[in-house]
Amino acid sequence: MMRKILLVSAVALWAGSAIAAEPIEGNWKTEAGDTARIAPCPEGFCITLVNGKYANKQIGHMKGNGGLYNGQITDPKDDKTYEGSAAVSAGQLKLQGCVLKVFCKSQVWTRL
């Protein structure tokens, strides 16, 4: 009986966290101070800069749900594309882009 209660509790916690996950869609303030818009697109969710030096430039796309995403991210300064991941939590988007899964850079964006 105890085993059943633990299993039901674990499933309830997992389901609750999936339901409570924040969406990736919306406007985000980048570390550079620009606004990036993340919206649905054929690739999943596309990331486009709204203002700043690289306004209207698509800089990435992600697929996923439940607060965890994977895809590609382009650094607009040098136009290099990296394999990336993103996690949404507490009004923040934590992005990571990697080369060969070894050399990685991270940024944290805040929801606007």
Side-chain angles (χ1 to χ4, degrees):
M1 181 67 169
M2 185 63 148
R3 183 184 226 177
K4 190 174 184 177
I5 291 171
L6 288 174
L7 179 61
V8 169
S9 296
V11 169
L13 283 172
W14 176 80
S17 65
I19 291 169
E22 293 182 53
I24 195 170
E25 295 176 60
N27 291 328
W28 298 89
K29 183 176 183 177
T30 69
E31 284 190 353
D34 298 328
T35 299
R37 176 171 294 129
I38 301 179
C41 67
E43 294 89 359
F45 297 97
C46 288
I47 307 168
T48 305
L49 291 173
V50 174
N51 61 4
K53 184 176 180 179
Y54 304 100
N56 300 314
K57 181 174 179 88
Q58 184 176 324
I59 61 165
H61 56 86
M62 296 278 168
K63 288 185 179 181
N65 59 34
L68 299 174
Y69 302 84
N70 289 299
Q72 295 184 328
I73 301 170
T74 301
D75 183 343
K77 291 179 209 154
D78 60 15
D79 214 31
K80 290 184 180 177
T81 301
Y82 304 92
E83 291 301 313
S85 62
V88 182
S89 178
Q92 292 187 323
L93 179 63
K94 296 177 182 175
L95 296 157
Q96 184 176 58
C98 299
V99 175
L100 303 173
K101 297 185 180 184
V102 177
F103 304 104
C104 300
K105 285 186 179 180
S106 297
Q107 286 193 3
V108 177
W109 296 356
T110 54
R111 188 179 294 279
L112 294 175

